[in-house]
Amino acid sequence: MFQFPRIGLLLALSTLSFTALAAEAPADLGRKQTVGKQGSTFEHYCTEMEDVQFVGNDNRIETRGPCNSILVQGSGNVVDVQSLAAQITVNGDNNKVTWPPADRPKPATKVSGKNNVVEQVRAQ
């Protein structure tokens, strides 16, 4: 008779811990990150499926990790996309965004403003 409640308690506890782990895992998925800087050089590491927005002017940025989307807002930014990204959006003027040649699909791009360049770097 004492075995049944004990087993039930163990099952309940294991279910609670599994539920807690399952609830924590998606927290990083699809998160949004905004990075605002002026005249800086830096790297940004995306978490899985992160939507990252870079806001500022005259920055030199390198991205790594599995970004879902990258938004560059401002002027005079140079962004080297070493990460996987499904979409790249550029708003502003005189920005340059490049990604390396690879066996992966080209990201969807949206560009507004003047003198922006968004392109894949050719293999040498």
Side-chain angles (χ1 to χ4, degrees):
M1 272 188 160
F2 294 103
Q3 290 291 345
F4 182 75
R6 187 184 206 181
I7 291 172
L9 178 60
L10 289 173
L11 287 173
L13 288 174
S14 66
T15 303
L16 286 175
S17 62
F18 177 75
T19 304
L21 287 175
E24 289 177 21
D28 284 338
L29 296 177
R31 98 179 179 166
K32 296 183 181 194
Q33 177 80 17
T34 299
V35 179
K37 297 195 180 222
Q38 299 291 329
S40 298
T41 298
F42 61 96
E43 289 184 340
H44 178 81
Y45 293 87
C46 289
T47 59
E48 189 170 351
M49 299 305 292
E50 178 179 309
D51 295 315
V52 63
Q53 176 177 317
F54 299 109
V55 179
N57 301 307
D58 302 316
N59 293 302
R60 304 292 175 259
I61 306 163
E62 184 173 302
T63 66
R64 297 189 179 277
C67 302
N68 181 53
S69 68
I70 296 171
L71 168 62
V72 178
Q73 186 142 346
S75 297
N77 296 296
V78 176
V79 183
D80 180 14
V81 179
Q82 293 292 318
S83 58
L84 296 173
Q87 182 172 329
I88 297 172
T89 304
V90 179
N91 294 325
D93 299 325
N94 302 310
N95 295 294
K96 182 174 184 180
V97 180
T98 59
W99 66 93
D103 296 334
R104 58 182 159 174
K106 176 184 174 182
T109 57
K110 294 179 183 178
V111 181
S112 62
K114 297 177 184 175
N115 301 320
N116 291 308
V117 175
V118 181
E119 65 186 2
Q120 185 175 26
V121 176
R122 297 181 188 261
Q124 295 183 18

